[in-house]
Amino acid sequence: MKRIRIDRLSSQLLAATPARPPPSSNRIPRALAASRLSPAPSVCQTRCQSTAASPEVIYEDAGRDVAAPKPIDYSKRPLPSPHPDRALRSAKLAALHARLSLSSKIPLQTLARTLIDPSADAHPRFNNVNLAFVGAALLQYHTSEFLVTRYPRLPMTILFAAMKGYAGVPALHQIARAWGIEAAATPGEEVDPGLLQFAPDRPTVTMNRWGYVRAESKELQRYKWRRGVSSRILYDDAFGELVPGESEQSHDGLELSKQRNTKDMIVEDVAQNAHANFVRAVIGAVYLHCGRDVAKTFAKAHVLSRQLDLANLFNFKLPTRELVRLCARENFDAPVARLLSETGRLSRTPVFVVGIYSGTDKLGEGVGPSLDAARISAAINALKSWYLYSPGDTVGVPSDTLAEDAAPWKPVYVDIGEIIS
Amino acid sequence: METRHLLRPLSSLSSSTTTTATASAMSSSTSPFTRSIVAAATGRRHQSTTSRTKKMLKIPPHPDFLTPREGESHIIYNPPSAAPSVYHTPFKFLPKTDPRRQANLTQLIRSSADLSGPSANANNLPPPSTKREGAPKMYNVTREQVDEMRTLRAEDPAKWSVQKLAERYKCSHLFIMMCCKAGPEHKAQERERLEAIKARWGPIRSGAREERKKRKALLFKGAI
């Protein structure tokens, strides 16, 4: 089946736009920014028919910057990234393939492609943008279904933070480091294909954006408007972060401080972003070559198997009041703080152990240097044990039913919502 | 060689200083004075090597820290009880559909007995942490009294302070502050007074206040 190449369609439409933003800025263009790739149509037709693995694709990046039809000796120009054929001779790549226990269905050329950041090679046929986009979508789906079924009572802000803790850029950067990925000093043709290639001074793209660009996104960034949690669920990306709108600079007089406004648009840490995109691209490559189930197993084994202490993500403002509201909502008896034990009440370092009881049931227990601190920490512990309720490790996720011989779906527990939101 | 020294009894150690037989006979009937000298010398010698020091420090634990016999009362629990994990959901927080709720029949019967009313075993519960904790709420202030306290507070906020009004109407300070506000000039005056007090604080007291704020923030994060 032949797919429509959307990027090539748009490249014909946008052939007049410049190939790249000026290299001094590393701002993020829109996801799938078509204006980034604008090879001259004639050049593209001669070379873009081949796949990444085929040997006759030597010249396409060289021709990209040159829109003039005059003949150029392409063979003299260095490629921005190593030739795909060199992947077969790279010891580092073979070692990485073996270390990750990847299936033999995944060719080394694809693995080499996952290591090329768009800042090193802007051509989407030779960098990992598209693979990373597929991988990010899969990874965020599996992470969110894992979290929602495993911890059905998590508040939305904690859920966003947990998503970031499992599938966010810093976590994926750590995973890539644990896989033994090293970065090349500078991307180029002569670099070993087993090294991660990115250029910190050139523009890159974040392919993890999956959301709706709000109409007011510019004002949200400029004036720091408040975004409610409901609108973050509805409009923003999987981590509850704003999808940045057009990256073009606004030159109107309303702008308060250019430095502050552009801060959100820049990739903070290019190296971290490149490492994270590599992990996503590997998941995308596994999905493309081995299928859905293998990709899910891979994501589970490498990302979801990591430990994240959800109890540390909470920050309460009025824990005692929230607990009272919870007990009233659930028709429990009103919570009462009871003194379980104490020592050194009149000393310099007293310790009080306070338990929160509803009726005769103990809901939580806390220790503190004063009665009030102990009561607050007991209320916090009680609320955490409410929010961190889990139906167990064996609870199924919706994607389990996609397998052929899957058991019928048993509905999971769905909580009615947060106490104070 | 060191082990040999260690194994040698104290008496032979003291006798080793004297070589002749007569001297050994003397040491066998030593006076308390010489014995104390020997003990002091051997005590100093014990700390000269690691093994001797370790041997000296090897003392049995205090009986309070040992596991008591059955039926004996004790106040020190060994090992001490750990704080319960927040991942262990209390029975009351389990949803109706959870299989753990059905499996734990004793808890189920107990909690259903609780719901019927104040149960008999409420006396077995630990005492409330403060006197006001768990006391039923008093709704003793009438609307007329609220109007009255508002006029009182408005006409002389210095005389009718929040504390005075709370004493008079037997309600909490918070309720007074919810009901009536002082005028802006009284607020400014109070703020000035507070600022003057704060200006007198030295570095220790103001630092302690800052520390207290930080501790409070850590408490709400669950970090301490």
Side-chain angles (χ1 to χ4, degrees):
Chain A
M1 194 172 72
K2 197 167 172 75
R3 284 183 302 171
I4 300 170
R5 305 284 173 172
I6 298 172
D7 54 349
R8 216 177 303 166
L9 288 177
S10 59
S11 73
Q12 286 168 359
L13 294 173
L14 299 168
T17 55
R20 270 177 188 157
S24 59
S25 72
N26 53 356
R27 320 183 85 227
I28 307 165
R30 285 280 309 283
L32 276 179
S35 61
R36 223 171 30 76
L37 40 121
S38 57
S42 60
V43 181
C44 195
Q45 276 171 7
T46 55
R47 290 183 289 91
C48 288
Q49 306 297 332
S50 56
T51 63
S54 67
E56 57 271 4
V57 286
I58 309 169
Y59 306 123
E60 67 263 24
D61 195 62
R64 214 176 312 141
D65 299 327
V66 190
K70 63 175 180 178
I72 293 169
D73 191 6
Y74 294 118
S75 57
K76 293 285 161 53
R77 291 228 171 171
L79 299 175
S81 59
H83 192 276
D85 268 0
R86 288 187 51 216
L88 295 173
R89 295 191 294 277
S90 167
K92 276 183 190 294
L93 261 184
L96 179 66
H97 196 278
R99 202 182 304 136
L100 296 183
S101 306
L102 293 178
S103 160
S104 54
K105 289 181 208 161
I106 301 171
L108 282 175
Q109 288 94 336
T110 312
L111 192 60
R113 192 175 149 184
T114 61
L115 282 161
I116 296 170
D117 193 69
S119 61
D121 190 345
H123 199 281
R125 282 169 174 272
F126 293 89
N127 62 27
N128 63 9
V129 166
N130 298 331
L131 288 173
F133 192 68
V134 173
L138 278 171
L139 183 60
Q140 285 160 13
Y141 169 69
H142 286 306
T143 314
S144 59
E145 74 173 1
F146 163 78
L147 283 171
V148 166
T149 54
R150 183 71 79 81
Y151 298 101
R153 279 180 186 159
L154 280 188
M156 205 57 214
T157 46
I158 307 296
L159 193 64
F160 281 143
M163 281 289 292
K164 222 179 281 178
Y166 274 108
V169 168
L172 296 184
H173 173 240
Q174 288 301 318
I175 291 171
R177 295 289 304 275
W179 285 353
I181 298 303
E182 296 164 3
T186 318
E189 187 187 10
E190 73 289 349
V191 174
D192 190 304
L195 296 173
L196 180 65
Q197 296 174 57
F198 64 93
D201 54 340
R202 270 188 272 164
T204 180
V205 286
T206 50
M207 269 301 156
N208 51 342
R209 302 292 183 194
W210 187 288
Y212 165 85
V213 180
R214 301 188 189 211
E216 71 275 20
S217 69
K218 223 189 267 177
E219 286 80 10
L220 280 170
Q221 283 171 358
R222 188 181 299 158
Y223 303 119
K224 308 287 179 213
W225 284 359
R226 196 181 67 84
R227 284 179 297 143
V229 175
S230 309
S231 73
R232 285 167 67 185
I233 300 167
L234 209 57
Y235 297 131
D236 295 346
D237 69 357
F239 309 114
E241 284 178 347
L242 185 72
V243 180
E246 292 298 321
S247 60
E248 40 106 13
Q249 296 264 5
S250 55
H251 297 292
D252 50 297
L254 283 174
E255 196 164 335
L256 297 175
S257 158
K258 204 180 244 179
Q259 200 56 259
R260 200 192 69 194
N261 298 337
T262 54
K263 212 175 89 181
D264 291 341
M265 307 289 291
I266 295 174
V267 176
E268 290 89 11
D269 196 336
V270 182
Q272 274 201 4
N273 190 49
H275 280 84
N277 274 346
F278 159 67
V279 176
R280 291 175 179 133
V282 169
I283 293 171
V286 170
Y287 173 73
L288 288 181
H289 287 279
C290 304
R292 192 182 51 217
D293 293 339
V294 181
K296 183 185 169 189
T297 315
F298 188 84
K300 245 188 190 172
H302 288 277
V303 180
L304 300 182
S305 63
R306 288 158 63 87
Q307 293 290 322
L308 177 70
D309 194 8
L310 292 171
N312 279 342
L313 300 178
F314 287 87
N315 191 3
F316 292 99
K317 286 200 183 81
L318 296 165
T320 46
R321 194 177 139 200
E322 202 169 337
L323 189 61
V324 168
R325 295 305 312 150
L326 170 71
C327 288
R329 191 185 81 174
E330 300 291 323
N331 287 328
F332 298 153
D333 295 341
V336 178
R338 294 180 183 276
L339 188 59
L340 299 180
S341 73
E342 63 168 80
T343 176
R345 186 183 275 254
L346 300 178
S347 73
R348 191 179 174 278
T349 51
V351 175
F352 297 97
V353 182
V354 165
I356 300 254
Y357 283 73
S358 164
T360 53
D361 292 326
K362 190 163 81 173
L363 304 181
E365 188 181 316
V367 187
S370 68
L371 282 169
D372 203 38
R375 188 173 59 105
I376 288 172
S377 88
I380 286 174
N381 285 339
L383 283 173
K384 279 183 183 173
S385 60
W386 167 266
Y387 282 129
L388 290 171
Y389 159 74
S390 170
D393 299 347
T394 54
V395 62
V397 291
S399 64
D400 286 344
T401 55
L402 295 175
E404 280 85 11
D405 52 346
W409 170 245
K410 268 193 349 198
V412 290
Y413 173 71
V414 178
D415 193 60
I416 64 169
E418 292 165 42
I419 303 160
I420 301 177
S421 58
Chain B
M1 174 170 171
E2 281 175 11
T3 51
R4 195 153 51 82
H5 272 290
L6 282 175
L7 292 172
R8 197 159 45 170
L10 271 180
S11 57
S12 68
L13 206 68
S14 62
S15 68
S16 68
T17 53
T18 54
T19 50
T20 58
T22 54
S24 67
M26 260 181 68
S27 70
S28 61
S29 59
T30 43
S31 63
F33 173 69
T34 51
R35 209 176 294 150
S36 68
I37 285 179
V38 165
T42 52
R44 222 178 292 127
R45 279 202 63 191
H46 266 296
Q47 288 162 20
S48 58
T49 64
T50 315
S51 56
R52 281 174 194 160
T53 315
K54 271 160 71 180
K55 199 178 176 189
M56 284 294 286
L57 291 175
K58 205 187 278 177
I59 50 171
H62 193 271
D64 276 348
F65 291 99
L66 298 174
T67 311
R69 276 171 301 192
E70 287 298 317
E72 266 187 12
S73 65
H74 56 284
I75 56 168
I76 297 177
Y77 291 87
N78 195 19
S81 57
S85 165
V86 291
Y87 291 98
H88 182 91
T89 314
F91 183 78
K92 210 161 200 172
F93 283 172
L94 290 175
K96 296 278 185 291
T97 56
D98 197 275
R100 279 167 283 182
R101 178 172 271 275
Q102 304 306 323
N104 198 345
L105 266 180
T106 55
Q107 274 277 15
L108 199 64
I109 292 161
R110 239 192 73 202
S111 65
S112 63
D114 292 346
L115 290 178
S116 60
S119 54
N121 61 350
N123 297 328
N124 298 338
L125 290 174
S129 64
T130 55
K131 271 183 200 163
R132 297 213 322 279
E133 188 72 44
K137 283 193 174 180
M138 289 166 63
Y139 299 96
N140 57 342
V141 185
T142 58
R143 175 167 283 278
E144 293 77 44
Q145 283 176 321
V146 170
D147 293 338
E148 193 186 327
M149 78 170 70
R150 276 180 183 158
T151 51
L152 284 177
R153 183 97 173 118
E155 65 191 26
D156 193 356
K159 184 187 172 195
W160 288 108
S161 63
V162 172
Q163 289 87 345
K164 286 272 174 59
L165 287 171
E167 277 170 21
R168 177 169 173 156
Y169 294 102
K170 294 190 177 52
C171 56
S172 67
H173 295 184
L174 183 69
F175 184 73
I176 301 286
M177 286 191 277
M178 279 159 60
C179 286
C180 39
K181 276 182 188 167
E185 67 276 358
H186 180 70
K187 270 188 187 168
Q189 202 181 327
E190 285 293 308
R191 202 176 297 124
E192 264 178 34
R193 199 172 63 87
L194 195 61
E195 290 300 323
I197 290 171
K198 281 185 180 172
R200 286 204 303 275
W201 289 350
I204 292 177
R205 179 167 289 196
S206 46
R209 296 281 170 143
E210 288 298 314
E211 293 271 311
R212 191 186 294 176
K213 269 185 205 163
K214 284 181 195 165
R215 257 183 280 134
K216 193 93 175 171
L218 284 177
L219 174 70
F220 282 113
K221 267 178 106 176
I224 52 171

